[in-house]
Amino acid sequence: MKHMELRVLQYFLAVAREQSIVRAAESLHLSQPTLSTQIKAMEEELGKQLLIRGTKGSRKVTLTEEGMILRKRAEEILNLVQKTEREISFSDQVIVGDVYIGTGETDAVRFIAKAARELYKTCPGIHYHISSGNAQFVIEQLDKGLIDFGIVFGSVDHVKYNFFEMPYKDIWGVLMRQDSPLAAKEAISPEDLWDKPLILSQQGDNCGALTVWMQREISELEIVATYNLLFNASLMVEEGLGYAIGFDKIINTSGNSNLCFRPLTPKSEAGMSIIWKKYQVFSKASEKFMQIMKEQIKVS
C-alpha cells in the first residue's frame, strides 16, 4: 500500500457504514461512478477484494474478510489522526483538548472523576473520553496510541510502561439473587461455590488468582457463562442462570434490586495502577491531568 490517502479511507468507511455505494456517495456528496472508481482503485492497489457487490436487484454491499480488517484499521488510523490534529491545534497558552482513558469496570473510576472535577475549575476546556474493556483491550489501545492512560489490575510491565499505584482496591465477591440459598451468608467461601453454576470474567489474569482462592481448577467447576462487562452478567444472574464472581460497587444492589453482593472469604482484593507508555509525549491537557492525579493521590 504505497499511496493510499486518508480521504480514500474515509470513502471506504462510508461505504462500509452505509452498506451501499449509492447511499455512501450521497453522504459524501460524490457521484456514484467517482466513488466506485476510488474503491476499485483501492482494491487494485491492495490486490484484494474488499467488497462483495450485490446483484442488479440489490444494491447492498458486504465486506469481505480483508474488507473487515481494513475497516478496523482505517477506524484506528483516522481516530489517531483526529486526536493528533486536536492536540496540535490546541497547543497555545490556553489549556484545552482531550484526555483519553481506558479502564475496566471498577469503582476507582471515581478517582478519575474527582481529578477531572478538580481540573475543571481551572481548565474547563479539557474533555475526557473513557473507553471500557478488559486488560487486553486497555493495553492494545494504549500501545496503538489511541488512549493516553490505562487503568489495569495486578502487576505492570515496567519495561514498557510508567505507572503509579492508585489508592483503591476492589473487593472480589459474588453477585447473586436475593432469594438464592447463599444470600443468607455474610461471606462466600470456596466450598460454597464448588457445586454452583458460575458466571466468570473473561479476563484471563483473574483465573489464576481465582483458582488459588477456589482451591479447584477451573475445569472442575461448573462454568455456565463468561462475561466482559459485569452489567451483562448481572442480567444473567437476575434471570437465574447462576452466580457471577466480580468486583463490588459496580452493580447497584440497593433499593428494589433483586440482587445482592457477598464478599469472598478469605478476603480477596485487587490493587490497580494507572499506566502510560514510556517516552510518551503528552498533550498539554494530558500533562495537566497527570499533574492533578498525582496531587489527588498525595491528599488521599
Side-chain angles (χ1 to χ4, degrees):
M1 187 170 62
K2 297 178 181 177
H3 308 296
M4 188 176 294
E5 300 177 13
L6 295 176
R7 171 178 52 85
V8 183
L9 288 179
Q10 292 171 329
Y11 292 171
F12 172 74
L13 285 179
V15 174
R17 181 177 62 251
E18 298 290 344
Q19 296 184 314
S20 164
I21 291 179
V22 174
R23 290 199 300 270
E26 290 173 354
S27 71
L28 294 166
H29 304 293
L30 295 173
S31 69
Q32 182 186 340
T34 298
L35 181 56
S36 295
T37 300
Q38 292 280 2
I39 298 298
K40 195 67 180 174
M42 175 187 282
E43 290 180 315
E44 291 174 358
E45 185 177 345
L46 292 169
K48 296 288 184 181
Q49 183 179 351
L50 302 173
L51 303 175
I52 301 172
R53 280 81 171 170
T55 60
K56 288 187 177 180
S58 172
R59 294 182 174 180
K60 184 177 180 181
V61 299
T62 55
L63 297 181
T64 63
E65 185 177 346
E66 290 79 7
M68 287 188 282
I69 293 171
L70 180 60
R71 178 180 187 171
K72 183 174 186 295
R73 297 305 180 203
E75 288 172 343
E76 292 172 353
I77 290 168
L78 293 174
N79 285 339
L80 190 56
V81 168
Q82 291 168 6
K83 180 174 181 285
T84 304
E85 287 174 344
R86 285 194 293 267
E87 289 174 356
I88 293 173
S89 64
F90 292 145
S91 62
D92 52 15
Q93 293 302 310
V94 179
I95 299 181
V96 295
D98 300 276
V99 178
Y100 295 84
I101 302 160
T103 177
E105 289 182 299
T106 169
D107 190 57
V109 172
R110 293 179 184 277
F111 174 80
I112 298 296
K114 289 174 182 176
R117 182 191 63 195
E118 186 65 26
L119 188 54
Y120 181 78
K121 297 174 184 177
T122 54
C123 301
I126 295 179
H127 303 101
Y128 305 89
H129 308 276
I130 310 295
S131 300
S132 299
N134 61 18
Q136 182 181 354
F137 166 83
V138 172
I139 293 296
E140 286 179 356
Q141 294 287 101
L142 195 61
D143 288 346
K144 290 172 182 174
L146 298 175
I147 59 176
D148 303 303
F149 306 101
I151 298 178
V152 295
F153 298 94
S155 60
V156 175
D157 184 345
H158 296 192
V159 176
K160 291 180 65 176
Y161 308 108
N162 289 321
F163 73 100
F164 57 78
E165 293 181 2
M166 299 181 69
Y168 283 84
K169 287 186 184 294
D170 277 335
I171 297 173
W172 283 100
V174 182
L175 191 66
M176 66 187 79
R177 287 170 58 108
Q178 295 271 15
D179 58 2
S180 65
L182 296 182
K185 299 176 70 73
E186 292 186 3
I188 305 302
S189 60
E191 54 269 23
D192 292 330
L193 301 177
W194 287 347
D195 61 347
K196 300 293 189 297
L198 303 179
I199 302 170
L200 303 185
S201 169
Q202 294 170 4
Q203 195 157 313
D205 291 346
N206 297 335
C207 289
L210 181 61
T211 299
V212 173
W213 180 86
M214 193 74 78
Q215 303 168 25
R216 288 288 188 276
E217 294 297 327
I218 296 298
S219 59
E220 298 178 77
L221 303 172
E222 185 184 350
I223 313 300
V224 294
T226 63
Y227 68 86
N228 191 23
L229 297 174
L230 189 57
F231 175 76
N232 293 334
S234 74
L235 300 181
M236 292 189 279
V237 172
E238 198 164 359
E239 292 301 320
L241 182 61
Y243 296 78
I245 298 180
F247 290 141
D248 193 8
K249 299 181 181 177
I250 296 175
I251 303 300
N252 185 357
T253 57
S254 62
N256 296 323
S257 174
N258 294 326
L259 303 178
C260 61
F261 181 91
R262 299 291 182 265
L264 302 182
T265 181
K267 188 175 183 180
S268 181
E269 295 180 323
M272 65 202 79
S273 302
I274 290 183
I275 66 173
W276 62 97
K277 287 196 297 186
K278 284 199 170 180
Y279 314 113
Q280 180 168 339
V281 178
F282 283 125
S283 65
K284 289 186 177 180
S286 297
E287 192 172 343
K288 190 69 177 174
F289 185 65
M290 165 74 79
Q291 179 184 335
I292 290 293
M293 284 195 294
K294 288 181 175 178
E295 290 175 3
Q296 291 287 309
I297 282 185
K298 289 178 182 177
V299 300
S300 61

